[in-house]
Amino acid sequence: MGKGGEKGEEAGEPEAQSRFYSWEEIQRHNLRTDKWLVIERKVYNITKWAARHPGGLRVISHYAGEDATDAFQAFHLNPSFVQKFLKPLLIGELAPEEPSQDRGKNPQLVDDFRALRKTAEDMNLFKANPLFFSLYLSHIIVMEALAWLLVSYYGTGWITTFILSCILATSQAQAGWLQHDFGHLSVFKKSAWNHIVHKFVIGHLKGASANWWNHRHFQHHAKPNIFKKDPDVNMLHIFVLGESQPVEYGKKKLKYLPYNHQHEYFFLVFPPLLIPVYFQMQIIMTMVRHRFWADLAWAFSYYMRYFITFIPFYGVLGSVFLLTFVRFLESHWFVWVTQMNHIPMEIDCEKHKDWLSSQLAATCNIEQSFFNDWFTGHLNFQIEHHLFPTMPRHNYYKIAPLVKSLCTKYGVHYEEKPLGKAFIDIVGSLKKSGALWLDAYLHK
């Protein structure tokens, strides 16, 4: 029960700072119409403000009733600047006898992780190298130009078109990794510049929506591999993931598809269809439904540029088929790279782990090499990326040894594997989940 006078219950009252709350009371405020959270022992009522949260309603709502300190630090370039927006929402603080961490989290582990973040800041690991990102953007533009030159000089034969498609798919995949950098605010010191260039890269170079990506992807980072919170594990009943969901579906006799064969139909459904079908439909619907007109304009500029470039060679229908095939190729690349770090890991309901433990349970790394860095957009360092999402990717390898050391100290599993094994583990994990479903479906 909160301590102090009744004043301060409404956000924004100065007297709120004199009111104290227990974790038990704070945890009760995790409803759609009643949301509190804690940042550095301060209690905030975000119920009315959550809908105006720049990162989206859902990502901040996922921390209702919880300590959000580490997530707050992870997602914001300048937390002290953002604090001024929190002041009107302040309603009090944790009672002096209450621990800083909720739900029995290890306070020493949490403190050591925060010390590690401070070490990374002192090492300037959150400072981007402009040359790296300039060269990265340049190599994407060069591939776009090379595709045009190829069809201009060699025509529209099958071999030329196939090579052209591979070049464009590579360009699109790499632009996807680059927009990811700007979306995470990891390039410029000021958020505004990251947002502007993000819209250019994801909109003009890829024909997608920055707002759609932000609202979806930040949820994934906030609560990775958590059912009902991470949209990336919402498989629309096409797949069952992890160990608990297959058993739950089996016991309830749910059989939308023969899940014991999901590791086989995965090849027909997930890699070929995610980008050209599901994402394309979702992006367009999101931009129209939420009136993201700026995003729609950027996406329109991409399609205008693409069709102006290729209609003279392939005609309207041929250009549409070419774009679909490019998306088809890119989708395979995207799915294998993004799923190898997550599907084989723990996928379950919310367990309220600390930031380090929750991210390590849901992610793994792929062995470092020049090719792996380029091929995955440095998402082979998925662990470091999830722990420090605003860190420029070219610095992941510098912080990795310190992360490993911290994990060893507290017995947190730090998994790293070869690229080929990571691909195989996706299929193996789906097969295992399918077998769990079948056993529960038949015998429980």
Side-chain angles (χ1 to χ4, degrees):
M1 181 101 182
K3 300 177 181 178
E6 290 304 313
K7 292 183 178 180
E9 191 65 37
E10 293 297 324
E13 295 188 21
E15 294 88 349
Q17 296 185 42
S18 64
R19 181 152 188 169
F20 299 106
Y21 297 96
S22 67
W23 277 117
E24 182 181 0
E25 180 170 3
I26 292 167
Q27 289 164 10
R28 289 200 295 266
H29 297 271
N30 65 344
L31 309 174
R32 179 174 294 182
T33 56
D34 183 15
K35 304 169 186 175
W36 294 6
L37 55 73
V38 177
I39 298 174
E40 296 178 345
R41 295 189 65 85
K42 303 293 184 182
V43 183
Y44 299 93
N45 183 344
I46 62 167
T47 305
K48 296 180 180 179
W49 185 81
R52 304 197 302 274
H53 179 234
L57 165 67
R58 292 183 179 179
V59 65
I60 193 171
S61 299
H62 291 335
Y63 277 91
E66 299 182 27
D67 176 44
T69 303
D70 291 309
F72 178 77
Q73 293 287 337
F75 289 128
H76 298 98
L77 273 184
N78 190 347
S80 59
F81 172 77
V82 181
Q83 285 281 358
K84 72 177 186 178
F85 297 100
L86 291 174
K87 286 182 180 179
L89 311 178
L90 181 65
I91 59 171
E93 56 187 287
L94 284 172
E97 66 272 15
E98 290 289 330
S100 295
Q101 284 75 46
D102 58 332
R103 295 179 170 87
K105 295 171 184 173
N106 185 337
Q108 190 59 50
L109 184 156
V110 173
D111 289 344
D112 281 358
F113 172 74
R114 292 173 184 173
L116 174 60
R117 182 178 180 86
K118 181 63 169 60
T119 299
E121 292 170 354
D122 294 340
M123 294 170 64
N124 287 321
L125 297 186
F126 289 92
K127 183 178 181 180
N129 181 347
L131 180 61
F132 174 88
F133 291 105
S134 297
L135 291 175
Y136 208 93
L137 176 60
S138 297
H139 104 290
I140 293 169
I141 294 173
V142 166
M143 283 188 281
E144 296 277 338
L146 180 61
W148 178 80
L149 288 172
L150 189 68
V151 73
S152 297
Y153 280 91
Y154 295 100
T156 57
W158 286 104
I159 295 177
T160 302
T161 299
F162 180 75
I163 296 173
L164 166 75
S165 300
C166 291
I167 293 173
L168 288 177
T170 302
S171 172
Q172 286 294 291
Q174 293 300 322
W177 307 145
L178 184 61
Q179 69 82 21
H180 181 260
D181 297 312
F182 290 105
H184 276 296
L185 314 178
S186 65
V187 182
F188 294 107
K189 291 182 180 179
K190 293 191 174 182
S191 298
W193 281 107
N194 283 296
H195 290 311
I196 291 170
V197 181
H198 184 219
K199 286 186 180 294
F200 166 76
V201 176
I202 196 172
H204 185 68
L205 295 185
K206 290 192 61 61
S209 165
N211 282 300
W212 166 81
W213 184 88
N214 287 340
H215 294 170
R216 179 186 177 93
H217 193 65
F218 291 160
Q219 291 183 74
H220 162 69
H221 269 267
K223 296 289 184 178
N225 283 14
I226 302 297
F227 291 123
K228 298 182 180 180
K229 294 187 176 182
D230 180 0
D232 287 1
V233 295
N234 177 13
M235 293 295 175
L236 304 174
H237 305 302
I238 298 174
F239 300 97
V240 288
L241 303 177
E243 297 182 357
S244 62
Q245 188 185 56
V247 174
E248 178 186 353
Y249 272 48
K251 287 181 176 179
K252 292 180 178 179
K253 309 306 176 187
L254 297 177
K255 187 182 180 182
Y256 297 97
L257 287 168
Y259 298 120
N260 52 312
H261 294 289
Q262 64 178 5
H263 61 290
E264 297 166 338
Y265 65 72
F266 164 82
F267 295 94
L268 302 175
V269 176
F270 207 164
L273 300 181
L274 182 66
I275 289 180
V277 178
Y278 180 64
F279 274 3
Q280 289 302 114
M281 292 174 58
Q282 193 179 63
I283 289 168
I284 294 171
M285 290 172 60
T286 299
M287 289 191 293
V288 173
R289 183 185 301 131
H290 295 282
R291 300 180 180 181
F292 295 146
W293 304 130
D295 285 5
L296 196 60
W298 277 113
F300 182 74
S301 74
Y302 163 80
Y303 288 106
M304 284 291 293
R305 176 176 60 85
Y306 171 82
F307 285 115
I308 288 173
T309 301
F310 292 105
I311 283 178
F313 302 103
Y314 291 98
V316 175
L317 191 59
S319 296
V320 170
F321 282 132
L322 175 64
L323 179 59
T324 302
F325 184 58
V326 169
R327 297 285 195 220
F328 170 83
L329 294 176
E330 179 200 0
S331 189
H332 281 79
W333 189 331
F334 176 83
V335 167
W336 286 101
V337 169
T338 57
Q339 300 309 307
M340 66 183 180
N341 303 107
H342 294 298
I343 282 185
M345 306 303 292
E346 179 181 307
I347 305 175
D348 210 337
C349 298
E350 177 68 86
K351 292 186 177 179
H352 302 289
K353 296 180 179 180
D354 62 84
W355 182 258
L356 176 75
S357 300
S358 64
Q359 302 298 335
L360 268 291
T363 59
C364 67
N365 277 7
I366 309 305
E367 292 177 350
Q368 195 271 336
S369 70
F370 178 81
F371 174 78
N372 286 354
D373 290 350
W374 175 83
F375 182 72
T376 68
H378 285 85
L379 294 182
N380 50 326
F381 287 96
Q382 189 75 237
I383 291 172
E384 288 69 30
H385 170 58
H386 265 254
L387 291 176
F388 310 105
T390 60
M391 181 180 289
R393 60 160 118 158
H394 52 71
N395 287 334
Y396 292 157
Y397 78 96
K398 297 178 182 179
I399 195 66
L402 300 181
V403 173
K404 289 180 183 178
S405 178
L406 181 62
C407 290
T408 299
K409 178 179 178 180
Y410 289 98
V412 177
H413 182 53
Y414 184 108
E415 185 169 353
E416 186 177 53
K417 61 183 75 169
L419 183 64
K421 184 179 187 304
F423 290 160
I424 294 171
D425 284 352
I426 296 175
V427 181
S429 177
L430 290 172
K431 185 177 182 179
K432 178 181 177 182
S433 297
L436 288 171
W437 168 82
L438 183 63
D439 179 67
Y441 186 82
L442 295 176
H443 306 300
K444 295 181 181 180

